[in-house]
């Protein structure tokens, strides 16, 4: 029998680690030991568990690139001592953090699984236990000494997803996430089934793991809507310091063909702004040139976001801008698949 897997739990905050104060009715953050004490089942798992916690656990609405760098550093510092990492995180921005970490952690050969819950761990009907226990089990899976999952994932309500393909879609249901353009990597029922064909392995020879900590947050998101005015568009495109804009277009990447609209975009792009065409539909892909309305965007040299999520587009842009691809190389590099975040075509 092989040795037990060593798993590191990184606790950043979120509902999962909260407990209801029965006197006041308010939710307050657990410390890590209290969290573990609430899941005695963890002792039955066939792995060695250790935990590290943020000094002040946060609601994930407060997440920012500095916190991502902290998580990346914790993984880097402990990379060789552990076989897998489970990051406890609030669900609100989990897809952003998962996407960011997928770019920041290069040449991963171990699992990094983000999970959380809709109800606190101390709640009778909590979804936290299953989410946490199964995440740890998946992070422990090895075959011939090699991790079976070697990418940044998100586990929630019986499904393991590639994190950079997910979006939070529901604030009420336990099934809070969807991955519309990539099938689940694993499903947990009576058996835990991995979908081997969909797992991602970096084609990296045996280049060593590397954690990039820098992100450039001079990125914006603009969702088109019928009736958007020129002043508003101009103000958004001209925002001080803006370097990349994720433009959420209609359907398969379509936008108005009014001259003023295209002229504003053209001016901004000529001044060096990278504008990324991402669909505001939750599933499907941008196909530049399918309609006249997207052919015009193609002529303006918009970056083709294909079937990427907004979460992955924002964090990929932040990563590229901070890691030497801020100029002409940005478009080519963005349109290249880096971590399985989109389909190549
Ligand atoms: N507001 C919480 C958070 O994202 C919600 C949750 O954890 O599900 O931190």
């Amino acid at each position: 029998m092989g040795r037990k897997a060593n798993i590191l739990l990184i606790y950043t905050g979120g509902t999962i680690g909260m407990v209801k104060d029965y006197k006041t009715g308010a939710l307050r953050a657990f410390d890590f030991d209290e969290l573990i004490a609430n899941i005695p089942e963890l002792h039955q798992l066939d792995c060695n568990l250790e935990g590290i916690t943020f000094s002040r656990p946060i609601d994930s609405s407060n997440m920012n690139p500095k916190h991502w760098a902290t998580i990346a550093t914790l993984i880097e510092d402990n990379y060789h001592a552990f076989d897998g990492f489970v990051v406890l995180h609030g669900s609100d921005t989990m897809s952003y953090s998962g996407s960011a970490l997928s770019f920041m952690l290069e040449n991963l050969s171990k699992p990094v699984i983000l999970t959380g819950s809709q109800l606190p761990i101390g709640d009778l009907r909590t979804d936290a236990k299953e989410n946490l226990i199964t995440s740890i089990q998946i992070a422990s899976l090895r075959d011939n000494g090699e991790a079976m999952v070697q990418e940044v994932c998100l586990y929630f309500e019986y499904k393991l997803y590639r994190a950079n393909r997910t979006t939070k879609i529901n604030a009420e249901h336990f099934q809070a996430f969807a991955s519309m353009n990539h099938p689940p990597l694993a499903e947990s029922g009576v058996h835990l089934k991995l979908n081997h064909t969909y797992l991602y392995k970096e084609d990296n020879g045996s280049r060593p793991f590397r954690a990039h900590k820098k992100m450039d947050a001079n990125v914006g998101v603009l969702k088109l809507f019928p009736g958007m005015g020129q002043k508003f568009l101009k103000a958004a495109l001209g925002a001080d310091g803006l370097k990349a804009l994720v433009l959420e277009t209609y359907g398969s990447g379509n936008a108005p063909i009014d001259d003023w609209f295209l002229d504003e975009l053209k001016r901004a792009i000529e001044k060096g702004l990278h504008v990324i065409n991402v669909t505001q539909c939750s599933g499907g892909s941008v196909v530049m040139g399918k309609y006249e309305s997207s052919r015009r965007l193609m002529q303006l040299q918009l970056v083709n976001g294909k079937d990427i999520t907004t979460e992955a587009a924002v964090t990929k842009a932040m990563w590229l801008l901070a890691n030497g691809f801020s100029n002409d190389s940005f478009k080519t590099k963005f349109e290249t698949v880096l971590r399985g975040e989109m389909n190549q075509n």
Side-chain angles (χ1 to χ4, degrees):
M1 242 179 57
R3 64 169 176 83
K4 283 188 180 183
N6 297 323
I7 303 299
L8 184 64
L9 281 184
I10 300 173
Y11 173 43
T12 70
T15 301
I16 190 165
M18 296 194 174
V19 63
K20 197 176 241 158
D21 184 322
Y22 284 100
K23 283 193 197 123
T24 63
L27 290 175
R28 69 167 174 83
F30 261 152
D31 68 25
F32 186 76
D33 295 334
E34 278 179 289
L35 182 88
I36 298 297
N38 263 266
I39 322 184
E41 296 89 338
L42 289 179
H43 298 293
Q44 294 171 30
L45 287 171
D46 192 25
C47 64
N48 302 313
L49 263 190
E50 277 184 45
I52 304 187
T53 166
F54 269 23
S55 46
R56 273 185 50 232
I58 57 170
D59 184 294
S60 77
S61 327
N62 294 312
M63 271 288 159
N64 63 44
K66 280 196 190 134
H67 296 116
W68 298 335
T70 304
I71 302 170
T73 306
L74 289 173
I75 293 173
E76 180 181 45
D77 291 348
N78 292 283
Y79 194 72
H80 296 293
F82 290 87
D83 301 296
F85 302 86
V86 174
V87 181
L88 300 180
H89 193 292
S91 62
D92 288 350
T93 61
M94 198 187 291
S95 293
Y96 285 93
S97 296
S99 300
L101 288 169
S102 76
F103 300 113
M104 295 167 95
L105 305 176
E106 194 174 359
N107 302 328
L108 255 190
S109 58
K110 299 185 179 185
V112 174
I113 302 180
L114 281 82
T115 194
S117 65
Q118 292 282 59
L119 284 175
I121 203 130
D123 196 288
L124 268 185
R125 295 176 50 249
T126 188
D127 52 332
K129 286 191 181 183
E130 201 284 321
N131 286 348
L132 178 53
I133 289 171
T134 308
S135 295
I136 296 171
Q137 283 183 326
I138 295 173
S140 309
L141 292 175
R142 283 174 305 157
D143 187 24
N144 273 324
E146 233 199 45
M148 294 181 78
V149 175
Q150 305 189 4
E151 58 180 303
V152 181
C153 303
L154 185 156
Y155 183 81
F156 225 87
E157 190 63 2
Y158 303 108
K159 290 201 175 86
L160 181 77
Y161 305 102
R162 177 167 306 148
N164 60 28
R165 291 296 198 137
T166 62
T167 301
K168 183 170 179 182
I169 46 140
N170 206 304
E172 167 68 21
H173 294 166
F174 286 141
Q175 180 142 11
F177 290 88
S179 165
M180 298 291 287
N181 288 331
H182 195 73
L185 307 178
E187 289 183 61
S188 158
V190 174
H191 298 104
L192 192 54
K193 284 197 197 130
L194 281 189
N195 294 328
H196 293 275
T197 32
Y198 299 123
L199 291 172
Y200 183 75
K201 288 212 166 69
E202 256 185 282
D203 184 14
N204 59 6
S206 49
R207 268 179 274 144
F209 167 74
R210 183 163 174 218
H212 301 264
K213 325 270 171 55
K214 281 197 265 160
M215 296 292 254
D216 184 336
N218 287 305
V219 170
V221 179
L222 182 65
K223 182 173 186 160
L224 290 185
F225 58 91
M228 179 186 282
Q230 185 168 4
K231 280 191 189 152
F232 176 75
L233 178 67
K234 197 179 171 115
L237 294 172
D240 199 18
L242 189 69
K243 296 181 186 163
L245 180 77
V246 176
L247 186 66
E248 286 198 359
T249 55
Y250 306 124
S252 52
N254 307 315
I257 49 168
D258 298 319
D259 286 342
W260 67 264
F261 179 85
L262 295 168
D263 286 347
E264 290 296 347
L265 278 181
K266 187 165 183 266
R267 261 195 292 277
I269 291 167
E270 278 168 0
K271 280 194 200 150
L273 183 69
H274 303 291
V275 182
I276 306 151
N277 188 356
V278 170
T279 174
Q280 54 184 255
C281 294
S282 33
S285 183
V286 162
V287 185
M288 302 254 272
K290 181 171 176 190
Y291 294 91
E292 174 63 12
S293 44
S294 67
R295 201 180 58 82
R296 303 290 286 272
L297 299 181
M298 197 162 76
Q299 285 168 344
L300 292 182
Q301 289 292 306
L302 255 72
V303 179
N304 186 349
K306 303 173 188 176
D307 64 347
I308 200 166
T309 61
T310 294
E311 291 87 336
V314 166
T315 53
K316 186 174 184 176
M318 287 183 180
W319 188 82
L320 290 176
L321 291 173
N323 287 281
F325 303 102
S326 56
N327 298 323
D328 290 354
S329 55
F330 183 95
K331 179 170 157 52
T332 315
K333 197 74 179 169
F334 196 100
E335 291 176 353
T336 307
V337 181
L338 300 181
R339 310 279 191 267
E341 72 281 7
M342 59 188 194
N343 288 329
Q344 187 56 65
N345 299 308

